[in-house]
Structure formats: C-alpha cells, structure tokens
Amino acid sequence: AFIAIAEDSGQYYSFITNHVSRSITRNSFGNSLLNTPVSDSVGDFKTLIPEHVEGIQVKKDIDGNWYGLVVGGLGGDEKLICFNFRKSLKNTPTVTSYGNLGNMAYPVDFYLFKENTYWVGFTANYNNNTITRFDFVNGLANKPNATNLNIGGLDHPCGICPFIENGTWYMFITNFGSHSISKLNFGSSLMNLKPSQVNLGVIPELDSPFDITLIRDCNQTFGFVGNRYSNNIVRLDFPQGINGNIMYNNIGNIGNLFHPHGISDVNRVENEIFVFVANIDDHTLSRLYFSTCTEPSILTSTAR
C-alpha cells in the first residue's frame, strides 16, 4: 500500500505496508537505492496490525532509536501502531498499538515530521473527510495526543503532504472522490487548528489521484501525484511558488505502474533524486530516478 525510505549508517532501507496480509516488508538496498533489494519481513504482528494497513513513516528520534509509525484499518478497527527498531533498522522491532486516536475513519496516508522541538503527524481519513493530527510531545516512544480537524471541502482524502514556503506551512491533500487537490494554509505553524482550505479545481490530468509528494529543487517546487486507475504519474510545477499558477504535466506510465497507491517521500542522495511508488494491485514497486547531470564539459571563457 505505502512505502517509506530510510538511511541508517550508509545503508538504505524501504518499509512497505501490505494491505491484505497485515504485514510490513523490509527491503535492504545496501549502499545505493539503485541496487536490487533483499526483502524480508519485520516480524509476524498480525494480531496488532489491522487489515487494510496503509500509511507508514520511519524516523530516528533524539534517543537514537528508529521508529516506524503506521496507520490503517476501517469499520472500527482503525489503529495507530508504533514499531520500535531500537538502534538499528536491521532489528526485529517491538510493536505497540495505540488503537483509534483522533476519530480516525479509514486512515490512509500518514506523514510525520519534526516541527520545532517535537514530532507532529497527520493522516487523511477517507471515510469521514477529515484529517487527524498527532502530537508526540514526549518523543516517538510514547503515545501521542490526537486531534481531529474537520476543515471541510475534502472528498475521500487519500494522499497528504505538508510543505513550508517563506515561513508559511501548507498541506496538499488528494481528493480521490472529486479528482482534485485541496491546499490548506496553516500559517506559521501546523499547530493551527483552523487552517484555511481551497480546492485547486478539477484538472483534466487528475484521474482518481491517490497520493502526492513535493520537493524543492533548483529553486523551484515540484510535486508528483499518482493516478490510481489511469496508471500514470502527474508532475506539478510551481514556477511562481506555492501560491502561483500550477502546471500539470502527465509524464505517463513510467516504471510499469499498476494502480499506484502510495508514493514515498522524495529522497535526495547528493545530486540524485529517488521516488518510489507502491502498486497495490500487482504487488510491485516502481522506482523513479532522476540522475545527476552527465554533461561532459561546461563552456567557459577567458574574457573579463
């Protein structure tokens, strides 16, 4: 369903949620995301992982331990689950289920990041058109506080991606039901309980958009959206910034996409960029790789 990428001591890993088998697969890439990975399971935790497991994030906290946070479940089985890998992502984790926090209703994508001194997480609730915020005020090892934000304007939200520009926090959310994207404005902090919301409208290039990720590159912002049923990726260009006009460029079915579900965070390794896509209905992963420039020479001049 979803995929998270992490680098631990020069070794790269991906962690994939398996929607039906209620399991987490770990892919070990070695020292490069271009390698063919070796796959294994992080352990048998079917009694804790709900069916329809979805979003995942893997982060290292200030205590030196690695944590995987996972959401999923529907019909009363919604859960937030914490995987504690301790000091190495090679370890078999211990698992804690926090149950349903913040009125989750089929939580789909999950995003986790650090704002100021503590971690903040968000998930999109497909069945009640809300988002839930998780405040990890005592670190990732402890149960977070949760708040449901009913901001209006969402239609079966799936993908979620916060982004900061010029000190203002935004959040982009894909609306699977209306084939559109909503942009939230949180102001100076994602702690704002009443962000403004604007729907960017029905765009011909968007067809059942499921997930979204954004990156700042070459002094410009770009985004990638996976269209679930047309099996393609749409690139979003923001030439005038987040609040300017958006250019939508369908870059087609690259990497043999088949019902693309979750898109990883954009991973930059020096000058190279990697994005991974989980294809939910043929049990495969696709890798989008933007290589560094290979221009053999740069024009120069001796004139002053």
Side-chain angles (χ1 to χ4, degrees):
F2 280 86
I3 179 170
I5 308 295
E7 182 265 324
D8 182 13
S9 302
Q11 302 296 299
Y12 292 91
Y13 301 88
S14 69
F15 295 85
I16 301 105
T17 57
N18 297 307
H19 194 67
V20 175
S21 64
R22 296 155 59 185
S23 63
I24 308 294
T25 296
R26 172 174 46 205
N27 279 355
S28 303
F29 287 85
N31 61 3
S32 174
L33 286 170
L34 288 175
N35 292 336
T36 299
V38 176
S39 297
D40 72 325
S41 173
V42 302
D44 185 358
F45 302 108
K46 286 184 174 62
T47 59
L48 295 173
I49 299 175
E51 191 176 6
H52 306 289
V53 59
E54 293 279 2
I56 181 171
Q57 292 272 275
V58 177
K59 302 292 183 181
K60 189 175 185 179
D61 207 354
I62 194 172
D63 61 4
N65 290 336
W66 284 95
Y67 298 91
L69 279 300
V70 176
V71 296
L74 77 163
D77 195 30
E78 290 85 352
K79 295 177 181 178
L80 172 69
I81 305 168
C82 178
F83 293 77
N84 185 344
F85 292 89
R86 301 178 301 285
K87 302 300 181 184
S88 174
L89 289 175
K90 298 178 182 179
N91 293 332
T92 298
T94 58
V95 182
T96 303
S97 173
Y98 296 130
N100 190 341
L101 304 177
N103 194 29
M104 291 188 291
Y106 195 9
V108 184
D109 196 7
F110 180 70
Y111 203 94
L112 180 67
F113 61 98
K114 203 168 190 178
E115 184 183 13
N116 298 323
T117 59
Y118 64 91
W119 294 92
V120 181
F122 285 89
T123 191
N125 295 302
Y126 184 89
N127 279 351
N128 65 8
N129 297 320
T130 67
I131 59 177
T132 296
R133 190 186 76 210
F134 305 96
D135 301 324
F136 295 85
V137 293
N138 296 310
L140 295 179
N142 299 285
K143 183 177 180 179
N145 301 321
T147 306
N148 186 272
L149 305 181
N150 188 357
I151 58 176
L154 303 181
D155 188 353
H156 294 95
C158 292
I160 187 168
C161 186
F163 195 82
I164 189 169
E165 183 176 272
N166 297 325
T168 299
W169 278 102
Y170 301 90
M171 184 177 292
F172 289 80
I173 301 176
T174 55
N175 293 300
F176 189 77
S178 60
H179 312 286
S180 65
I181 296 174
S182 291
K183 181 178 71 174
L184 312 185
N185 185 328
F186 282 83
S188 61
S189 174
L190 286 168
M191 299 300 98
N192 181 3
L193 294 176
K194 295 183 179 180
S196 62
Q197 184 269 150
V198 59
N199 189 290
L200 301 180
V202 177
I203 307 299
E205 289 80 3
L206 300 180
D207 176 21
S208 301
F210 206 89
D211 200 10
I212 182 171
T213 190
L214 283 86
I215 183 176
R216 184 82 174 166
D217 185 54
C218 294
N219 296 318
Q220 188 174 321
T221 300
F222 299 90
F224 298 96
V225 176
N227 282 326
R228 176 69 177 272
Y229 294 124
S230 54
N231 299 323
N232 54 45
I233 295 289
V234 176
R235 190 184 72 205
L236 281 57
D237 295 9
F238 299 81
Q240 286 84 41
I242 287 295
N243 292 312
N245 292 329
I246 305 174
M247 300 171 58
Y248 297 85
N249 179 24
N250 189 330
I251 58 178
N253 185 342
I254 53 178
N256 296 320
L257 300 169
F258 187 73
H259 294 177
H261 198 85
I263 302 178
S264 74
D265 291 343
V266 179
N267 293 267
R268 187 191 298 278
V269 181
E270 296 179 349
N271 243 5
E272 300 174 327
I273 293 173
F274 298 85
V275 180
F276 287 80
V277 183
N279 300 299
I280 195 166
D281 284 330
D282 69 352
H283 321 297
T284 66
L285 301 177
S286 299
R287 178 178 58 209
L288 283 62
Y289 169 53
F290 298 83
S291 62
T292 187
C293 177
T294 56
E295 181 68 30
S297 62
I298 299 175
L299 296 178
T300 62
S301 172
T302 59
R304 291 189 179 183

